[in-house]
Amino acid sequence: MSISTLYENDPVYQQAVQQLKQSASILGLPDDIVEVLRHPEKLVQVKIVVKRDNGRIETYIGWRSQHNSALGPYKGGIRYSENATAGETVALSMWMTWKNALAGIPYGGGKGAVRVNPKNLSQRELEELSRKYFAAISKEVGPDVDIPAPDVYTNPQTMAWYFDEYSRIVGYNAWGVVTAKPPELGGLTARTVSTGYGVALGVREAAKKWLGGLQGKTVAVHGFGNVGSYAAKYLYEWGATVVAVSDTSGVIYDPKGLDINEVLKVKEATGKVVNYKKGDVKVYTNDRALFELPVDIIVPAAVENVITRENANSIKAKLIVEGANGPTTPEAEEILHKKDVIIVPDILANAGGVVMSWIEWSHNRMGCWLTDEEALARLDKIMSSNFNKVFDEWEKKYRNYPMRIAAYAIAVDRVVKAMKLRGWI
Ligand code: GLU
């Protein structure tokens, strides 16, 4: 019997379930276990009422999905997006379960979202929204229960508001309730760069293994937010030729390579990469044009569902490293796998953020603070060893399938083993 739920028909949720089912059938995981794993342990929906600056009362909806806690407290970000849905939140929380298990950190998977376009809110309105959302989910979170962090359109300032709101409710400084806090509140400056840094490490390791190295390889980065901008910066510094980047304003492309430091300045000053004017830059107003460019490597680092059945055949890159969560649909992955395009999956490639979150959280709880250098060196070690573990597993056992299967094999196995040991299944 299949349970009918409010997230069932969501396309992003269906993508996450399809990936789970595909891996389960290759790994020989029975249907009843898949049925357990495809539902979150808990999904809460909250109402957030904000008094706008113009006096209007606005109602928003938010969720927190707690997918699995067999390996530890739930962990995962909170996003602000006008496209957020319950189904997308559940899917993202499921991906966090696999990501955290694969990274070997002591967490389960969770994710939160508020359905809002944050660009339409003033700083004061954003603070009210953030505090009220966190107060509404305050009974569900906690340093040993569920530890949120940033995701799309949330940042260290948002975490400072969450931390303060929660600490006010419980009556003490609960450092460990959120991660990616500002350094003044127990965060690590290195957390800001860590997801992009980890993605760049993944590109470097994969390029070393399958493209003969990173030097001079052409790269296109989709999305120039927290993940894409730092991934582009490190790849540029490490000798790759970053020829294209994009944001919602469009794509900038220069076959001779972009000056990423200049792009960062332009983005910071004007909010749009298309205002970059150096060299022979070409501008495309549709950000999806990036996927068809003649490059060696593509890093999708924005949102889910951008590499699809429609554009997979036009992709010329030989390597895709997923900075975003869920950027490639299963149909697109099948097409690309047949064309011998290697996809380093999101749950491996973009784990740098949550690994750094774990470093921050464990130090918060010990009451001691690491330096940035120590934290980045640790991240480097953990990520490189995880990449090699998955690359080896893939080459040894699953080379006829996309690399994602090898990553799922390790992650799902760890979660299922923990559930069995605990007597849950
Ligand atoms: N939102 C990030 C992710 O998708 C980070 C989560 C965390 O640090 O808890 O991995």
Side-chain angles (χ1 to χ4, degrees), residues 178-239:
V178 285
T179 55
K181 300 179 291 298
E184 295 78 5
L185 299 174
L188 292 161
T189 319
R191 175 62 181 79
T192 308
V193 305
S194 58
T195 313
Y197 180 75
V199 171
L201 280 179
V203 175
R204 192 178 70 185
E205 295 301 303
K208 221 192 281 169
K209 218 165 161 66
W210 293 294
L211 301 182
L214 187 62
Q215 291 303 316
K217 295 293 175 313
T218 52
V219 186
V221 180
H222 182 250
F224 209 67
N226 178 258
V227 182
S229 65
Y230 287 110
K233 179 174 165 325
Y234 285 108
L235 290 168
Y236 175 71
E237 280 173 13
W238 296 343

Side-chain angles (χ1 to χ4, degrees), residues 337-383:
H337 179 66
K338 284 198 186 119
K339 294 205 313 176
D340 280 332
V341 179
I342 293 175
I343 304 177
V344 182
D346 47 5
I347 60 167
L348 175 64
N350 72 27
V354 73
V355 170
M356 191 59 96
S357 278
W358 167 63
I359 296 171
E360 175 183 330
W361 176 82
S362 42
H363 280 76
N364 286 164
R365 294 166 60 88
M366 283 192 271
C368 62
W369 272 224
L370 271 182
T371 66
D372 269 13
E373 291 70 39
E374 288 167 326
L376 275 177
R378 240 187 240 192
L379 177 71
D380 213 311
K381 224 163 145 189
I382 297 172
M383 292 295 288

Side-chain angles (χ1 to χ4, degrees), residues 75-78 92 96 99-100 111 147-152 179-180 191 195 325 350-351 353-358:
K75 179 94 191 79
I78 291 168
L92 288 160
M96 286 310 300
K99 190 187 304 187
N100 294 336
K111 199 75 158 208
I147 307 122
D151 199 79
V152 175
T179 55
R191 175 62 181 79
T195 313
N325 292 311
N350 72 27
V354 73
V355 170
M356 191 59 96
S357 278
W358 167 63

